[in-house]
Amino acid sequence: MDQIAVHQDNATGADWPVAIYRTLKEFGVAQLSYVPDAGHSKLIKLSHADRAIKTTVLTTEEEGVALSAGAWLGGERAVLLMQSSGVGNCVNMLSLMASCRFPFLTLVTMRGEWAEFNPWQIPMGRATPQAFEIMGVTVLRLEKAEDTEEVISAAATLAYDGDQQVAVLISQRMIGRKKWTKETH
């Protein structure tokens, strides 16, 4: 049997992934790239079901930064979904976005915060905001489900209308507590 991480509880009653999806649609996001992540699973499913959104599964997060640049050059808006553990993989590529003034929007599910069970997630969880800030990326936090549309809209406006690089850090508490369980085949 394999060990897998599953959500033990849902920390919020609101359907915040649907609110993110609707807001991204309002801003004309046509491309969504991601490294598979349970915290983004509902948003990923919604995007896959939408024929107007091109979805790309990545092998590593920095590919999503480059894909976002290419989308912009091709006249489309993109968003990168990732977990905080992947932010360190993007640091060098973020210099491209800043140097070329390409708009960039990433939504980052946080690990290493509230009720974290995996000690390997804690260091990068702590470093995520600073890693983005060092590279000139504006960091916004999403802590409460009821603030979802407002925060995502503000981030999308900064990115797409202001040609800025923006990361929205989605609190681990929004995603819910995880625990290890045994998977049966």
Side-chain angles (χ1 to χ4, degrees), residues 59-98:
T59 57
T60 183
E61 294 80 4
E62 66 264 30
E63 294 171 346
V65 178
L67 194 142
S68 292
W72 184 253
L73 289 171
E76 292 187 342
R77 293 177 171 182
V79 65
L80 169 60
L81 308 182
M82 67 175 140
Q83 192 178 84
S84 57
S85 57
V87 172
N89 297 335
C90 298
V91 171
N92 191 45
M93 286 300 295
L94 290 171
S95 65
L96 168 73
M97 303 309 270

Side-chain angles (χ1 to χ4, degrees), residues 122-165:
I122 295 170
M124 194 62 221
R126 284 185 187 146
T128 291
Q130 293 84 4
F132 278 128
E133 290 166 356
I134 286 169
M135 296 310 298
V137 176
T138 299
V139 176
L140 303 177
R141 293 261 327 172
L142 180 54
E143 301 277 350
K144 297 177 185 173
E146 60 267 20
D147 296 337
T148 300
E149 289 181 47
E150 181 181 26
V151 171
I152 301 301
S153 177
T157 299
L158 271 170
Y160 304 130
D161 296 340
D163 294 334
Q164 298 299 303
Q165 300 78 46

Side-chain angles (χ1 to χ4, degrees), residues 21 25 29-32 44-55 76:
Y21 168 78
K25 290 289 291 180
V29 171
Q31 295 188 35
L32 180 138
I44 291 167
K45 287 176 188 171
L46 289 166
S47 299
H48 272 280
D50 187 333
R51 292 178 189 249
I53 297 177
K54 298 174 196 109
T55 58
E76 292 187 342

Side-chain angles (χ1 to χ4, degrees), residues 94-117:
L94 290 171
S95 65
L96 168 73
M97 303 309 270
S99 295
C100 296
R101 292 196 41 115
F102 291 142
F104 177 68
L105 178 60
T106 184
L107 308 180
V108 182
T109 55
M110 293 300 294
R111 293 290 305 269
E113 296 182 332
W114 178 79
E116 180 59 63
F117 67 93

